Amino acid sequence: TTLMQATNFERAVDDVLAQTGALLEAKRVFLVRMQPGGQSVHHIHEWCSAGIVPLYGEAGVEFSSEASQWLERLGKEGWFYVEDMSGLPPQTRETVPFSGGMTSGAYCAVPVYARQEMIGILGCHGLPPTAKDLEQHRQVLEVIVGILGSAWLREQVLETLDQRVAARTRELSTFFDLTTLAVGDPDLGEMLSPVPGRILELGSCDAMCIHLLDAERTTLTLTAQGNLPQEMRRQLQTVALPGSFAQRMKRLGDPLLITQQTQSSPLPDPMHLDGYPTYLGVPIPAGWVSYYRASSQGYTLDETALLLAVAEQIGVSVENHRLRQRIGDMAVLEERQRLARDLHDSVTQSLY
């Protein structure tokens, strides 16, 4: 119960190991948490009785093939017990993970499960001779690993929720920044220059760029970019629009996804970049937004929806900037016309 309600999970686990050691009169109790997939160690907790030197160091060690076979057998049988390690042949003893180099004494291990997946091991060294109490000890350990599995699952859920909250906070912050772009900046490129950096902070892509259409709507010009090498910037500086891609750009709100499995696409050749096998492009009224990913992993639905929404907000900001410029130009023109009328009236009065 204490473990399930603990605010400091790591410390609570250490307390559980200490209580387990005292209950079973063990010399050492350890808890191994494995990485997803069960091929290496994520973290090891260890409790030792007085006078016993801790055995385990840093995590991250990968299991040997023999150890992996032992772990698979442990998962199937649900229990491993040796009354005296000295009774095992040396070669067999070396294949037992987390025995700590023990050459004698009792050793037992029980798998820890969460959602029907083996995620760890609870083990004990130096148990006293307990032939008559062995089944009772096994039941105690099984209860403890059941609680540990549930507690680990709870901790994982809380960690995932924290990560999602942090990610959503970054997303909202990015949207807020995009909605408050300096649309009054006379230079559109200067207005858009901070955008790629903010988007890359979301972690959904490795590089990105924004192209805007020229007045004839036949060429895309690179206006802002993030994390692209200089040679790729030159490659993307101006992109002539093939007819098929010009038609594709009219499908606002319809992103273009390209992966290694994509057979063909209307994307112009200069926009295919070496080293970025995954691509997501989004049309906006004034141009095109490109997101590049260095891995072959495709974009998830959530990532696609996020990047699509960000691109649409970029489009809104560009349209607002241009609308503001047109309003400003109209105001200047009206002022010039007013001055011209005043001057005409003044000259007319002076003549008559």
Side-chain angles (χ1 to χ4, degrees), residues 82-131:
V82 177
E83 186 172 357
D84 191 345
M85 291 288 286
S86 63
L88 294 177
Q91 291 182 341
T92 303
R93 193 162 56 232
E94 291 174 0
T95 64
V96 179
F98 313 110
S99 61
M102 287 179 56
T103 57
S104 62
Y107 173 88
C108 71
V110 184
V112 182
Y113 281 89
R115 290 179 176 170
Q116 300 182 337
E117 179 185 358
M118 184 175 170
I119 61 171
I121 304 166
L122 176 64
C124 299
H125 293 165
L127 291 170
T130 54

mmCIF file of all heavy atoms in Angstrom, residues 82-131:
data_model
loop_
_atom_site.group_PDB
_atom_site.id
_atom_site.type_symbol
_atom_site.label_atom_id
_atom_site.label_comp_id
_atom_site.label_asym_id
_atom_site.label_seq_id
_atom_site.Cartn_x
_atom_site.Cartn_y
_atom_site.Cartn_z
ATOM 1 N N VAL A 82 17.798 -22.153 -6.069
ATOM 2 C CA VAL A 82 18.925 -23.057 -5.867
ATOM 3 C C VAL A 82 19.290 -22.995 -4.388
ATOM 4 O O VAL A 82 19.575 -21.913 -3.866
ATOM 5 C CB VAL A 82 20.140 -22.665 -6.729
ATOM 6 C CG1 VAL A 82 21.318 -23.584 -6.433
ATOM 7 C CG2 VAL A 82 19.791 -22.720 -8.197
ATOM 8 N N GLU A 83 19.249 -24.136 -3.729
ATOM 9 C CA GLU A 83 19.525 -24.144 -2.279
ATOM 10 C C GLU A 83 20.963 -23.803 -1.980
ATOM 11 O O GLU A 83 21.268 -23.153 -0.978
ATOM 12 C CB GLU A 83 19.177 -25.515 -1.697
ATOM 13 C CG GLU A 83 19.287 -25.555 -0.165
ATOM 14 C CD GLU A 83 18.765 -26.851 0.409
ATOM 15 O OE1 GLU A 83 18.274 -27.701 -0.360
ATOM 16 O OE2 GLU A 83 18.833 -27.029 1.639
ATOM 17 N N ASP A 84 21.861 -24.222 -2.895
ATOM 18 C CA ASP A 84 23.280 -23.913 -2.697
ATOM 19 C C ASP A 84 23.929 -23.779 -4.070
ATOM 20 O O ASP A 84 23.965 -24.745 -4.839
ATOM 21 C CB ASP A 84 23.967 -25.006 -1.883
ATOM 22 C CG ASP A 84 25.367 -24.589 -1.427
ATOM 23 O OD1 ASP A 84 25.899 -23.587 -1.972
ATOM 24 O OD2 ASP A 84 25.924 -25.247 -0.546
ATOM 25 N N MET A 85 24.413 -22.563 -4.408
ATOM 26 C CA MET A 85 25.018 -22.319 -5.711
ATOM 27 C C MET A 85 26.226 -23.210 -5.952
ATOM 28 O O MET A 85 26.582 -23.491 -7.098
ATOM 29 C CB MET A 85 25.429 -20.849 -5.833
ATOM 30 C CG MET A 85 24.265 -19.884 -5.911
ATOM 31 S SD MET A 85 23.385 -19.954 -7.494
ATOM 32 C CE MET A 85 24.553 -19.129 -8.572
ATOM 33 N N SER A 86 26.882 -23.684 -4.883
ATOM 34 C CA SER A 86 28.051 -24.536 -5.058
ATOM 35 C C SER A 86 27.677 -25.888 -5.656
ATOM 36 O O SER A 86 28.541 -26.605 -6.166
ATOM 37 C CB SER A 86 28.772 -24.751 -3.720
ATOM 38 O OG SER A 86 27.915 -25.433 -2.799
ATOM 39 N N GLY A 87 26.399 -26.221 -5.611
ATOM 40 C CA GLY A 87 25.950 -27.478 -6.190
ATOM 41 C C GLY A 87 25.779 -27.425 -7.685
ATOM 42 O O GLY A 87 25.528 -28.464 -8.324
ATOM 43 N N LEU A 88 25.873 -26.241 -8.269
ATOM 44 C CA LEU A 88 25.737 -26.094 -9.725
ATOM 45 C C LEU A 88 27.100 -26.218 -10.396
ATOM 46 O O LEU A 88 28.106 -25.748 -9.861
ATOM 47 C CB LEU A 88 25.129 -24.741 -10.075
ATOM 48 C CG LEU A 88 23.689 -24.470 -9.642
ATOM 49 C CD1 LEU A 88 23.301 -23.054 -10.017
ATOM 50 C CD2 LEU A 88 22.737 -25.471 -10.280
ATOM 51 N N PRO A 89 27.160 -26.831 -11.575
ATOM 52 C CA PRO A 89 28.414 -26.838 -12.338
ATOM 53 C C PRO A 89 28.846 -25.400 -12.643
ATOM 54 O O PRO A 89 28.000 -24.518 -12.852
ATOM 55 C CB PRO A 89 28.050 -27.586 -13.624
ATOM 56 C CG PRO A 89 26.837 -28.384 -13.274
ATOM 57 C CD PRO A 89 26.101 -27.580 -12.244
ATOM 58 N N PRO A 90 30.139 -25.124 -12.677
ATOM 59 C CA PRO A 90 30.612 -23.747 -12.920
ATOM 60 C C PRO A 90 30.032 -23.122 -14.182
ATOM 61 O O PRO A 90 29.665 -21.941 -14.175
ATOM 62 C CB PRO A 90 32.136 -23.927 -13.027
ATOM 63 C CG PRO A 90 32.428 -25.152 -12.218
ATOM 64 C CD PRO A 90 31.250 -26.056 -12.419
ATOM 65 N N GLN A 91 29.950 -23.901 -15.271
ATOM 66 C CA GLN A 91 29.412 -23.339 -16.505
ATOM 67 C C GLN A 91 27.944 -22.946 -16.350
ATOM 68 O O GLN A 91 27.506 -21.921 -16.858
ATOM 69 C CB GLN A 91 29.565 -24.344 -17.645
ATOM 70 C CG GLN A 91 31.012 -24.559 -18.066
ATOM 71 C CD GLN A 91 31.126 -25.523 -19.228
ATOM 72 O OE1 GLN A 91 30.205 -26.286 -19.509
ATOM 73 N NE2 GLN A 91 32.272 -25.493 -19.906
ATOM 74 N N THR A 92 27.173 -23.756 -15.624
ATOM 75 C CA THR A 92 25.764 -23.431 -15.387
ATOM 76 C C THR A 92 25.642 -22.223 -14.487
ATOM 77 O O THR A 92 24.799 -21.346 -14.693
ATOM 78 C CB THR A 92 25.041 -24.636 -14.751
ATOM 79 O OG1 THR A 92 25.194 -25.776 -15.601
ATOM 80 C CG2 THR A 92 23.568 -24.336 -14.541
ATOM 81 N N ARG A 93 26.511 -22.132 -13.472
ATOM 82 C CA ARG A 93 26.466 -21.019 -12.521
ATOM 83 C C ARG A 93 26.715 -19.693 -13.224
ATOM 84 O O ARG A 93 26.111 -18.673 -12.897
ATOM 85 C CB ARG A 93 27.499 -21.257 -11.428
ATOM 86 C CG ARG A 93 27.350 -20.351 -10.222
ATOM 87 C CD ARG A 93 28.089 -20.906 -9.024
ATOM 88 N NE ARG A 93 29.492 -21.145 -9.309
ATOM 89 C CZ ARG A 93 30.119 -22.302 -9.078
ATOM 90 N NH1 ARG A 93 29.456 -23.327 -8.569
ATOM 91 N NH2 ARG A 93 31.405 -22.447 -9.342
ATOM 92 N N GLU A 94 27.576 -19.702 -14.229
ATOM 93 C CA GLU A 94 27.908 -18.473 -14.939
ATOM 94 C C GLU A 94 26.764 -17.966 -15.804
ATOM 95 O O GLU A 94 26.730 -16.790 -16.163
ATOM 96 C CB GLU A 94 29.148 -18.707 -15.811
ATOM 97 C CG GLU A 94 30.424 -18.908 -15.000
ATOM 98 C CD GLU A 94 31.596 -19.273 -15.884
ATOM 99 O OE1 GLU A 94 31.384 -19.367 -17.119
ATOM 100 O OE2 GLU A 94 32.702 -19.453 -15.355
ATOM 101 N N THR A 95 25.824 -18.843 -16.145
ATOM 102 C CA THR A 95 24.699 -18.427 -16.991
ATOM 103 C C THR A 95 23.546 -17.833 -16.193
ATOM 104 O O THR A 95 22.586 -17.338 -16.783
ATOM 105 C CB THR A 95 24.167 -19.619 -17.806
ATOM 106 O OG1 THR A 95 23.632 -20.606 -16.912
ATOM 107 C CG2 THR A 95 25.274 -20.242 -18.648
ATOM 108 N N VAL A 96 23.625 -17.870 -14.861
ATOM 109 C CA VAL A 96 22.549 -17.351 -14.024
ATOM 110 C C VAL A 96 22.758 -15.845 -13.831
ATOM 111 O O VAL A 96 23.725 -15.441 -13.174
ATOM 112 C CB VAL A 96 22.501 -18.053 -12.659
ATOM 113 C CG1 VAL A 96 21.384 -17.470 -11.796
ATOM 114 C CG2 VAL A 96 22.293 -19.551 -12.852
ATOM 115 N N PRO A 97 21.902 -14.992 -14.393
ATOM 116 C CA PRO A 97 22.099 -13.541 -14.247
ATOM 117 C C PRO A 97 21.919 -13.090 -12.794
ATOM 118 O O PRO A 97 21.169 -13.691 -12.021
ATOM 119 C CB PRO A 97 21.003 -12.944 -15.139
ATOM 120 C CG PRO A 97 20.550 -14.062 -16.013
ATOM 121 C CD PRO A 97 20.753 -15.310 -15.224
ATOM 122 N N PHE A 98 22.648 -12.045 -12.455
ATOM 123 C CA PHE A 98 22.479 -11.369 -11.165
ATOM 124 C C PHE A 98 22.795 -12.280 -9.987
ATOM 125 O O PHE A 98 22.302 -12.066 -8.885
ATOM 126 C CB PHE A 98 21.057 -10.802 -11.022
ATOM 127 C CG PHE A 98 20.598 -10.055 -12.218
ATOM 128 C CD1 PHE A 98 19.601 -10.555 -13.033
ATOM 129 C CD2 PHE A 98 21.196 -8.846 -12.561
ATOM 130 C CE1 PHE A 98 19.191 -9.877 -14.158
ATOM 131 C CE2 PHE A 98 20.794 -8.159 -13.691
ATOM 132 C CZ PHE A 98 19.786 -8.669 -14.499
ATOM 133 N N SER A 99 23.618 -13.301 -10.229
ATOM 134 C CA SER A 99 24.066 -14.126 -9.101
ATOM 135 C C SER A 99 25.217 -13.449 -8.370
ATOM 136 O O SER A 99 25.616 -13.889 -7.300
ATOM 137 C CB SER A 99 24.508 -15.502 -9.599
ATOM 138 O OG SER A 99 25.590 -15.386 -10.510
ATOM 139 N N GLY A 100 25.742 -12.373 -8.969
ATOM 140 C CA GLY A 100 26.768 -11.587 -8.297
ATOM 141 C C GLY A 100 28.060 -12.331 -8.075
ATOM 142 O O GLY A 100 28.823 -12.006 -7.171
ATOM 143 N N GLY A 101 28.315 -13.359 -8.901
ATOM 144 C CA GLY A 101 29.533 -14.131 -8.722
ATOM 145 C C GLY A 101 29.480 -15.076 -7.538
ATOM 146 O O GLY A 101 30.512 -15.602 -7.110
ATOM 147 N N MET A 102 28.299 -15.302 -6.996
ATOM 148 C CA MET A 102 28.157 -16.199 -5.848
ATOM 149 C C MET A 102 28.589 -17.620 -6.231
ATOM 150 O O MET A 102 28.236 -18.122 -7.279
ATOM 151 C CB MET A 102 26.701 -16.243 -5.385
ATOM 152 C CG MET A 102 26.220 -15.008 -4.665
ATOM 153 S SD MET A 102 24.470 -15.197 -4.219
ATOM 154 C CE MET A 102 24.535 -16.721 -3.270
ATOM 155 N N THR A 103 29.359 -18.217 -5.373
ATOM 156 C CA THR A 103 29.763 -19.612 -5.593
ATOM 157 C C THR A 103 29.118 -20.544 -4.588
ATOM 158 O O THR A 103 29.259 -21.764 -4.694
ATOM 159 C CB THR A 103 31.291 -19.743 -5.501
ATOM 160 O OG1 THR A 103 31.728 -19.265 -4.213
ATOM 161 C CG2 THR A 103 31.962 -18.922 -6.601
ATOM 162 N N SER A 104 28.419 -19.982 -3.606
ATOM 163 C CA SER A 104 27.732 -20.812 -2.611
ATOM 164 C C SER A 104 26.559 -20.025 -2.046
ATOM 165 O O SER A 104 26.419 -18.816 -2.265
ATOM 166 C CB SER A 104 28.699 -21.211 -1.484
ATOM 167 O OG SER A 104 29.165 -20.046 -0.802
ATOM 168 N N GLY A 105 25.698 -20.723 -1.295
ATOM 169 C CA GLY A 105 24.547 -20.077 -0.683
ATOM 170 C C GLY A 105 23.308 -20.186 -1.550
ATOM 171 O O GLY A 105 23.374 -20.509 -2.739
ATOM 172 N N ALA A 106 22.161 -19.944 -0.928
ATOM 173 C CA ALA A 106 20.884 -20.048 -1.623
ATOM 174 C C ALA A 106 20.644 -18.828 -2.513
ATOM 175 O O ALA A 106 21.107 -17.723 -2.211
ATOM 176 C CB ALA A 106 19.757 -20.194 -0.609
ATOM 177 N N TYR A 107 19.918 -19.066 -3.605
ATOM 178 C CA TYR A 107 19.607 -17.996 -4.564
ATOM 179 C C TYR A 107 18.214 -18.263 -5.128
ATOM 180 O O TYR A 107 17.896 -19.409 -5.488
ATOM 181 C CB TYR A 107 20.629 -17.992 -5.693
ATOM 182 C CG TYR A 107 20.329 -17.049 -6.839
ATOM 183 C CD1 TYR A 107 20.767 -15.734 -6.812
ATOM 184 C CD2 TYR A 107 19.611 -17.480 -7.955
ATOM 185 C CE1 TYR A 107 20.501 -14.871 -7.867
ATOM 186 C CE2 TYR A 107 19.337 -16.629 -9.013
ATOM 187 C CZ TYR A 107 19.785 -15.330 -8.969
ATOM 188 O OH TYR A 107 19.521 -14.483 -10.008
ATOM 189 N N CYS A 108 17.391 -17.232 -5.187
ATOM 190 C CA CYS A 108 16.079 -17.402 -5.799
ATOM 191 C C CYS A 108 15.726 -16.149 -6.592
ATOM 192 O O CYS A 108 16.244 -15.060 -6.325
ATOM 193 C CB CYS A 108 15.002 -17.699 -4.750
ATOM 194 S SG CYS A 108 14.566 -16.304 -3.706
ATOM 195 N N ALA A 109 14.843 -16.313 -7.573
ATOM 196 C CA ALA A 109 14.399 -15.194 -8.403
ATOM 197 C C ALA A 109 12.965 -15.426 -8.835
ATOM 198 O O ALA A 109 12.554 -16.567 -9.084
ATOM 199 C CB ALA A 109 15.303 -15.040 -9.628
ATOM 200 N N VAL A 110 12.203 -14.325 -8.932
ATOM 201 C CA VAL A 110 10.801 -14.363 -9.336
ATOM 202 C C VAL A 110 10.590 -13.262 -10.376
ATOM 203 O O VAL A 110 11.070 -12.136 -10.188
ATOM 204 C CB VAL A 110 9.863 -14.142 -8.132
ATOM 205 C CG1 VAL A 110 8.400 -14.277 -8.563
ATOM 206 C CG2 VAL A 110 10.174 -15.106 -7.014
ATOM 207 N N PRO A 111 9.901 -13.559 -11.483
ATOM 208 C CA PRO A 111 9.663 -12.516 -12.494
ATOM 209 C C PRO A 111 8.619 -11.504 -12.035
ATOM 210 O O PRO A 111 7.694 -11.841 -11.294
ATOM 211 C CB PRO A 111 9.176 -13.312 -13.711
ATOM 212 C CG PRO A 111 8.535 -14.524 -13.132
ATOM 213 C CD PRO A 111 9.328 -14.867 -11.892
ATOM 214 N N VAL A 112 8.791 -10.267 -12.486
ATOM 215 C CA VAL A 112 7.819 -9.198 -12.220
ATOM 216 C C VAL A 112 7.089 -8.912 -13.525
ATOM 217 O O VAL A 112 7.726 -8.676 -14.565
ATOM 218 C CB VAL A 112 8.515 -7.922 -11.710
ATOM 219 C CG1 VAL A 112 7.478 -6.841 -11.403
ATOM 220 C CG2 VAL A 112 9.356 -8.223 -10.476
ATOM 221 N N TYR A 113 5.765 -8.918 -13.467
ATOM 222 C CA TYR A 113 4.945 -8.712 -14.667
ATOM 223 C C TYR A 113 4.102 -7.452 -14.554
ATOM 224 O O TYR A 113 3.711 -7.046 -13.452
ATOM 225 C CB TYR A 113 4.006 -9.904 -14.891
ATOM 226 C CG TYR A 113 4.669 -11.104 -15.529
ATOM 227 C CD1 TYR A 113 5.269 -12.083 -14.748
ATOM 228 C CD2 TYR A 113 4.702 -11.244 -16.908
ATOM 229 C CE1 TYR A 113 5.889 -13.183 -15.329
ATOM 230 C CE2 TYR A 113 5.312 -12.332 -17.506
ATOM 231 C CZ TYR A 113 5.902 -13.297 -16.710
ATOM 232 O OH TYR A 113 6.508 -14.377 -17.292
ATOM 233 N N ALA A 114 3.840 -6.849 -15.712
ATOM 234 C CA ALA A 114 2.880 -5.748 -15.824
ATOM 235 C C ALA A 114 2.236 -5.870 -17.188
ATOM 236 O O ALA A 114 2.931 -5.959 -18.208
ATOM 237 C CB ALA A 114 3.558 -4.382 -15.677
ATOM 238 N N ARG A 115 0.910 -5.935 -17.212
ATOM 239 C CA ARG A 115 0.169 -6.108 -18.468
ATOM 240 C C ARG A 115 0.664 -7.326 -19.242
ATOM 241 O O ARG A 115 0.896 -7.287 -20.449
ATOM 242 C CB ARG A 115 0.276 -4.860 -19.340
ATOM 243 C CG ARG A 115 -0.489 -3.674 -18.773
ATOM 244 C CD ARG A 115 -0.327 -2.448 -19.657
ATOM 245 N NE ARG A 115 -1.129 -1.337 -19.156
ATOM 246 C CZ ARG A 115 -1.042 -0.092 -19.618
ATOM 247 N NH1 ARG A 115 -0.178 0.194 -20.579
ATOM 248 N NH2 ARG A 115 -1.810 0.867 -19.133
ATOM 249 N N GLN A 116 0.870 -8.415 -18.512
ATOM 250 C CA GLN A 116 1.274 -9.703 -19.089
ATOM 251 C C GLN A 116 2.635 -9.651 -19.769
ATOM 252 O O GLN A 116 2.959 -10.506 -20.589
ATOM 253 C CB GLN A 116 0.214 -10.207 -20.076
ATOM 254 C CG GLN A 116 -1.155 -10.412 -19.422
ATOM 255 C CD GLN A 116 -2.181 -10.947 -20.407
ATOM 256 O OE1 GLN A 116 -2.049 -10.790 -21.614
ATOM 257 N NE2 GLN A 116 -3.203 -11.604 -19.881
ATOM 258 N N GLU A 117 3.442 -8.675 -19.430
ATOM 259 C CA GLU A 117 4.798 -8.568 -19.974
ATOM 260 C C GLU A 117 5.793 -8.592 -18.830
ATOM 261 O O GLU A 117 5.629 -7.895 -17.830
ATOM 262 C CB GLU A 117 4.966 -7.276 -20.770
ATOM 263 C CG GLU A 117 6.365 -7.107 -21.336
ATOM 264 C CD GLU A 117 6.552 -5.768 -22.033
ATOM 265 O OE1 GLU A 117 5.579 -4.994 -22.096
ATOM 266 O OE2 GLU A 117 7.663 -5.502 -22.510
ATOM 267 N N MET A 118 6.821 -9.424 -18.981
ATOM 268 C CA MET A 118 7.858 -9.510 -17.959
ATOM 269 C C MET A 118 8.714 -8.249 -18.014
ATOM 270 O O MET A 118 9.385 -7.985 -19.008
ATOM 271 C CB MET A 118 8.710 -10.751 -18.189
ATOM 272 C CG MET A 118 9.768 -10.995 -17.128
ATOM 273 S SD MET A 118 10.619 -12.577 -17.423
ATOM 274 C CE MET A 118 11.975 -12.447 -16.260
ATOM 275 N N ILE A 119 8.689 -7.477 -16.934
ATOM 276 C CA ILE A 119 9.395 -6.195 -16.934
ATOM 277 C C ILE A 119 10.540 -6.153 -15.930
ATOM 278 O O ILE A 119 11.284 -5.176 -15.889
ATOM 279 C CB ILE A 119 8.426 -5.035 -16.623
ATOM 280 C CG1 ILE A 119 7.797 -5.211 -15.232
ATOM 281 C CG2 ILE A 119 7.360 -4.920 -17.693
ATOM 282 C CD1 ILE A 119 7.001 -4.017 -14.773
ATOM 283 N N GLY A 120 10.686 -7.205 -15.113
ATOM 284 C CA GLY A 120 11.749 -7.173 -14.126
ATOM 285 C C GLY A 120 11.899 -8.487 -13.388
ATOM 286 O O GLY A 120 11.224 -9.478 -13.675
ATOM 287 N N ILE A 121 12.817 -8.478 -12.426
ATOM 288 C CA ILE A 121 13.121 -9.659 -11.621
ATOM 289 C C ILE A 121 13.304 -9.218 -10.177
ATOM 290 O O ILE A 121 13.978 -8.214 -9.910
ATOM 291 C CB ILE A 121 14.415 -10.348 -12.076
ATOM 292 C CG1 ILE A 121 14.341 -10.714 -13.554
ATOM 293 C CG2 ILE A 121 14.699 -11.592 -11.246
ATOM 294 C CD1 ILE A 121 15.694 -11.091 -14.131
ATOM 295 N N LEU A 122 12.732 -9.970 -9.259
ATOM 296 C CA LEU A 122 12.994 -9.802 -7.834
ATOM 297 C C LEU A 122 13.781 -11.015 -7.375
ATOM 298 O O LEU A 122 13.354 -12.158 -7.586
ATOM 299 C CB LEU A 122 11.687 -9.693 -7.046
ATOM 300 C CG LEU A 122 11.839 -9.603 -5.510
ATOM 301 C CD1 LEU A 122 12.564 -8.316 -5.121
ATOM 302 C CD2 LEU A 122 10.469 -9.673 -4.838
ATOM 303 N N GLY A 123 14.953 -10.799 -6.776
ATOM 304 C CA GLY A 123 15.798 -11.918 -6.378
ATOM 305 C C GLY A 123 16.355 -11.759 -4.983
ATOM 306 O O GLY A 123 16.409 -10.654 -4.437
ATOM 307 N N CYS A 124 16.782 -12.882 -4.396
ATOM 308 C CA CYS A 124 17.361 -12.902 -3.057
ATOM 309 C C CYS A 124 18.612 -13.766 -3.046
ATOM 310 O O CYS A 124 18.651 -14.825 -3.688
ATOM 311 C CB CYS A 124 16.375 -13.462 -2.036
ATOM 312 S SG CYS A 124 14.842 -12.533 -1.856
ATOM 313 N N HIS A 125 19.626 -13.313 -2.308
ATOM 314 C CA HIS A 125 20.830 -14.090 -2.055
ATOM 315 C C HIS A 125 20.907 -14.398 -0.568
ATOM 316 O O HIS A 125 20.424 -13.629 0.268
ATOM 317 C CB HIS A 125 22.090 -13.294 -2.422
ATOM 318 C CG HIS A 125 22.231 -13.028 -3.878
ATOM 319 N ND1 HIS A 125 23.105 -12.096 -4.379
ATOM 320 C CD2 HIS A 125 21.621 -13.572 -4.951
ATOM 321 C CE1 HIS A 125 23.017 -12.060 -5.698
ATOM 322 N NE2 HIS A 125 22.116 -12.948 -6.064
ATOM 323 N N GLY A 126 21.560 -15.499 -0.261
ATOM 324 C CA GLY A 126 21.882 -15.797 1.141
ATOM 325 C C GLY A 126 20.687 -16.125 2.001
ATOM 326 O O GLY A 126 20.672 -15.793 3.194
ATOM 327 N N LEU A 127 19.677 -16.769 1.409
ATOM 328 C CA LEU A 127 18.550 -17.203 2.236
ATOM 329 C C LEU A 127 19.005 -18.323 3.174
ATOM 330 O O LEU A 127 19.811 -19.177 2.793
ATOM 331 C CB LEU A 127 17.418 -17.729 1.344
ATOM 332 C CG LEU A 127 16.674 -16.697 0.490
ATOM 333 C CD1 LEU A 127 15.780 -17.412 -0.496
ATOM 334 C CD2 LEU A 127 15.866 -15.773 1.369
ATOM 335 N N PRO A 128 18.499 -18.356 4.393
ATOM 336 C CA PRO A 128 18.838 -19.461 5.296
ATOM 337 C C PRO A 128 18.192 -20.751 4.805
ATOM 338 O O PRO A 128 17.236 -20.709 4.029
ATOM 339 C CB PRO A 128 18.247 -19.013 6.637
ATOM 340 C CG PRO A 128 17.139 -18.091 6.265
ATOM 341 C CD PRO A 128 17.582 -17.400 5.019
ATOM 342 N N PRO A 129 18.707 -21.908 5.225
ATOM 343 C CA PRO A 129 18.078 -23.185 4.831
ATOM 344 C C PRO A 129 16.612 -23.216 5.280
ATOM 345 O O PRO A 129 16.316 -23.160 6.474
ATOM 346 C CB PRO A 129 18.901 -24.242 5.571
ATOM 347 C CG PRO A 129 20.209 -23.570 5.859
ATOM 348 C CD PRO A 129 19.881 -22.116 6.080
ATOM 349 N N THR A 130 15.729 -23.245 4.321
ATOM 350 C CA THR A 130 14.299 -23.132 4.652
ATOM 351 C C THR A 130 13.492 -24.119 3.832
ATOM 352 O O THR A 130 12.546 -23.755 3.162
ATOM 353 C CB THR A 130 13.794 -21.711 4.366
ATOM 354 O OG1 THR A 130 14.125 -21.404 3.001
ATOM 355 C CG2 THR A 130 14.393 -20.696 5.294
ATOM 356 N N ALA A 131 13.871 -25.392 3.851
ATOM 357 C CA ALA A 131 13.179 -26.380 3.029
ATOM 358 C C ALA A 131 11.698 -26.440 3.362
ATOM 359 O O ALA A 131 10.841 -26.453 2.481
ATOM 360 C CB ALA A 131 13.821 -27.748 3.217
#
